[in-house]
Amino acid sequence: MGYCNIPLNDDYEAPVDVPIIHSSQGKDVDSSSVGWMQPIDLWTPLKEMRKRYRRDGYIWVKNLLPREDVLAMRKHYFSHVSPTGLLAPNTEPRDGIFNPSNDPLSFQGVGGHPQSQCIQLLESAHTTPEYDAFCKHPALRSFVRNFMGWEKEIMLKRAMMRHNCPGSLATGVHYDKLFLRGSDAEFLTAWVPIGDCTARGGGLMYLQDSDQLGRELEEEFKENAKSLSDEERVSAFNEHMADDGYLSHDAEGFRQTQTKGKLNWLVGDFEAGDVVFHTPHMIHSSAANEDEKGRIRLGSDLRFYEAGVEVDRRWCNHWKNGDKL
């Protein structure tokens, strides 16, 4: 199930019980079709990290960032958006507890359909000095350079923080290259959980060993798009794609259709300070947020290229609601 034979994190013990996973549509993913991601220690040799990344399509690095730095970012974000009424009364922004009197579908974040009064605060949250400093965290940036063997890295300005309230819609099934077709250069995605997030708290989940499947699907899309204009060809919303660019919103249906049920979804109990890196074609989604404490899942998606290569220039501006990327 995509696990490494070498014990790369001797202190980690996967939970005994595997959860049933819910997505936005379709059947639940039964626990028999769910496995645990295997994290690695920050001090694992780079050779082993790279081997694992190439083989599994992802690496989950424990404690890469100082926990308090991540929780400070969580506090900043929820303080920034608190005027929307997102948070439960008499709770701390750092805890990020959803106000249960709200309709979660009206308080969706990036990628959803938030209320109009929320949009300005969501957009401005991505341009604060605090978020800029967080994206430039020395521990993160030095790891990216060392892991990829780059002398210098650049991060696309269209970085995103996504919050997912309990009861809201999960992120659909996709691989990142769908949305970043404007350059052929290799890029690295970092998903940073901003706060603790259990497997049932809306965190990312990865389709086991699916990098190759993602590559095959992308080749099919490229073939079908040959007759389109250059602008349409690189769009995740062209006539050969779904309206919202995703492969599916039914994680179990996608698993059955595309892998005949042979591959499992892999989940994790993430902690503040962890970072997951994945390849451009690794297929992933998010589980529905069913956090028992009512915590809002917050995470940040960051994309890195080697300095000097041609990047997807459509992603060189800050995220804006409705920017169709």
Side-chain angles (χ1 to χ4, degrees), residues 3-299:
Y3 295 159
C4 187
N5 294 325
I6 304 171
L8 297 181
N9 189 331
D10 294 334
D11 296 330
Y12 178 77
E13 293 185 9
V16 175
D17 296 326
V18 181
I20 297 173
I21 297 298
H22 304 274
S23 57
S24 294
Q25 299 175 11
K27 297 180 179 179
D28 298 339
V29 184
D30 188 75
S31 57
S32 63
S33 302
V34 178
W36 290 108
M37 296 171 62
Q38 180 67 37
I40 59 175
D41 192 281
L42 181 58
W43 310 116
T44 301
L46 278 173
K47 180 179 179 180
E48 296 298 339
M49 287 189 181
R50 292 165 179 160
K51 173 183 175 182
R52 182 81 165 266
Y53 177 77
R54 289 191 300 268
R55 188 191 65 194
D56 296 344
Y58 76 90
I59 54 169
W60 168 16
V61 184
K62 295 292 296 179
N63 305 312
L64 174 57
L65 301 175
R67 179 177 176 84
E68 287 303 314
D69 292 358
V70 178
L71 294 178
M73 186 65 233
R74 183 176 177 87
K75 178 182 178 180
H76 168 72
Y77 176 85
F78 285 122
S79 296
H80 186 88
V81 300
S82 63
T84 64
L86 176 70
L87 301 180
N90 304 314
T91 61
E92 294 297 324
R94 172 167 158 152
D95 295 330
I97 305 299
F98 181 58
N99 185 343
S101 66
N102 290 328
D103 176 4
L105 297 182
S106 297
F107 285 83
Q108 299 179 72
V110 173
H113 300 283
Q115 292 181 333
S116 57
Q117 62 265 34
C118 301
I119 292 174
Q120 183 177 359
L121 284 173
L122 289 175
E123 290 181 345
S124 60
H126 291 79
T127 61
T128 66
E130 288 83 355
Y131 185 50
D132 182 64
F134 185 74
C135 292
K136 294 175 180 177
H137 199 291
L140 175 64
R141 293 304 191 96
S142 63
F143 180 88
V144 169
R145 288 192 298 274
N146 292 334
F147 176 68
M148 297 300 289
W150 295 338
E151 183 175 342
K152 185 178 180 181
E153 84 294 348
I154 57 173
M155 190 193 82
L156 295 179
K157 186 177 287 187
R158 192 177 185 269
M160 290 173 286
M161 283 187 287
R162 298 178 187 266
H163 76 247
N164 185 349
C165 304
S168 187
L169 298 178
T171 303
V173 179
H174 68 287
Y175 52 87
D176 289 353
K177 187 65 175 178
L178 284 169
F179 302 96
L180 285 144
R181 291 170 167 158
S183 167
D184 292 329
E186 180 182 16
F187 65 88
L188 176 71
T189 293
W191 179 68
V192 186
I194 305 178
D196 297 340
C197 179
T198 69
R200 300 202 53 169
L204 288 196
M205 58 183 190
Y206 291 85
L207 188 62
Q208 169 194 0
D209 300 334
S210 63
D211 178 87
Q212 183 58 37
L213 174 59
R215 293 175 185 274
E216 293 169 0
L217 291 173
E218 185 62 14
E219 285 302 313
E220 291 179 18
F221 288 131
K222 287 172 65 175
E223 183 66 26
N224 292 336
K226 279 185 174 180
S227 62
L228 301 180
S229 68
D230 288 345
E231 182 179 358
E232 292 173 318
R233 178 181 52 80
V234 300
S235 173
F237 311 98
N238 68 47
E239 64 186 60
H240 300 292
M241 307 297 297
D243 290 342
D244 59 3
Y246 289 115
L247 299 171
S248 176
H249 287 278
D250 179 358
E252 176 60 10
F254 182 86
R255 188 184 77 88
Q256 292 290 345
T257 301
Q258 294 293 336
T259 78
K260 296 181 172 59
K262 294 179 181 179
L263 302 183
N264 292 343
W265 285 103
L266 304 179
V267 299
D269 285 342
F270 305 106
E271 297 177 294
D274 297 351
V275 181
V276 182
F277 299 91
H278 61 251
T279 68
H281 294 93
M282 186 65 178
I283 296 173
H284 55 288
S285 180
S286 75
N289 185 349
E290 300 174 298
D291 187 80
E292 295 179 353
K293 299 179 180 179
R295 292 176 296 188
I296 303 169
R297 187 270 270 183
L298 179 64

